[in-house]
Amino acid sequence: MSDDAWAPDDDLRAAAALLSAADPARRAAGYGRLAARAAPGEDALRAWAVDAVLGRAGREPGGAALAALVEVLEAAQDARALPVLLELAGHPDEAVRLAVAKALPFVGEPVPDSPRVRALLTLCRDGAPRVRDAAVFSVGSLDEAYSPAVRAALHERLDDEDAEVAEEAVRGLANRQDASVLPRLVDLLEAYVEPHPLTLSAAAVLGRPELLPVLAELAAERPDDRRITAALESCDPERREELAARAWQLLEELSARRPDLDAALAWPRFSTRLYLELRHGSAPVVYHADGLLSRTGRDPSRAAAAVDADLPPVDLPPAA
């Protein structure tokens, strides 16, 4: 169904009807149902959900209902919600500030000195530990903005009295290639019987050989844990060099074989994965470079041939 033909179904209309209930618990339930539908919803559904709740933010006094309203805005990921979220970032209700700290990374662009990022940095210093925890996670692991102010805020939280907040700060700085947190990251890897998945991800993104000994010990204890193996491989300089060399050879061979695909390599921030990005006709196509090489015997020529076979030439209409 196209967006032009889209209309709310009975469940959505029933959820919206709850928003006018006198009981705040019923309103919270209505917002919760809208958030659940908006999160995986199509663009028209998300826009409708934002239209349904945006004007109500000023009328909700706080508590669970207003926090649930913010969750709808987070799920919809609509830029129109940003002014409301910025205003609610200083709300006296902790539950509301917590919801805002979780929602802000999903509304607006990760521009370092934007009002959105400044609001998150303020929430990183919130008096409530769980709000700080959510804000530092948002800044460190969800948001890609980086600036001296972001770095200073994350470093400040390394000494937070709440251990979980400090851990989020370590991960956020590791994600940004700040090698000064290496000792703290090693401590986190050693501190738990099973390291947090985000700590392993941060170790993989940082990709430093100093992490190899502790990761090797973890791998020996848990040889089937793919997250530990991935971090270990990412921190191995020889393996990283080999992947980069093979991926570059793949790119060169594919560009010579199929210049129409406009091939390029991309290594997204906060990711350990190197991607091969292509354009097949007017459609973008993305391969995980290491996965492509693995299934073709780590032979760049075979990998290029596989892509060539996957994507036959497309006849484009002549330019007007």
Side-chain angles (χ1 to χ4, degrees), residues 187-303:
D187 288 344
L188 287 183
L189 292 169
E190 292 178 335
Y192 300 103
V193 173
E194 183 174 353
H196 194 291
L198 290 176
T199 301
L200 290 169
S201 174
V205 171
L206 187 57
R208 296 292 293 254
E210 293 92 332
L211 296 170
L212 286 174
V214 65
L215 289 170
E217 289 184 14
L218 290 170
E221 295 169 0
R222 300 173 185 79
D224 297 327
D225 191 323
R226 182 56 194 159
R227 297 167 303 180
I228 295 173
T229 303
L232 186 64
E233 292 175 349
S234 181
C235 292
D236 183 339
E238 292 184 3
R239 191 181 184 284
R240 288 172 69 99
E241 184 177 344
E242 184 230 3
L243 172 59
R246 291 180 187 273
W248 187 255
Q249 186 180 343
L250 163 62
L251 178 68
E252 289 184 323
E253 295 203 19
L254 187 59
S255 296
R257 181 191 289 256
R258 291 288 303 278
D260 59 301
L261 293 177
D262 194 22
L265 292 172
W267 206 318
R269 182 180 289 183
F270 299 0
S271 172
T272 62
R273 294 196 164 195
L274 181 63
Y275 291 96
L276 177 67
E277 297 185 346
L278 313 165
R279 183 159 294 279
H280 188 225
S282 60
V285 179
V286 178
Y287 287 86
H288 176 208
D290 198 21
L292 175 61
L293 286 163
S294 293
R295 71 179 173 89
T296 53
R298 308 204 71 76
D299 183 333
S301 297
R302 286 180 59 195

Side-chain angles (χ1 to χ4, degrees), residues 82 85-86 89 99-108 116 119-120 123 138 143:
L82 184 57
L85 295 177
L86 293 176
V100 171
K102 294 178 178 180
L104 279 171
F106 300 101
V107 181
R116 181 179 68 82
L120 275 172
L123 290 167
S138 292
D143 202 287

Side-chain angles (χ1 to χ4, degrees), residues 85-116:
L85 295 177
L86 293 176
E87 183 175 349
L88 293 177
H91 197 278
D93 193 313
E94 177 184 328
V96 175
R97 300 196 308 278
L98 175 62
V100 171
K102 294 178 178 180
L104 279 171
F106 300 101
V107 181
E109 297 297 322
V111 179
D113 194 36
S114 65
R116 181 179 68 82

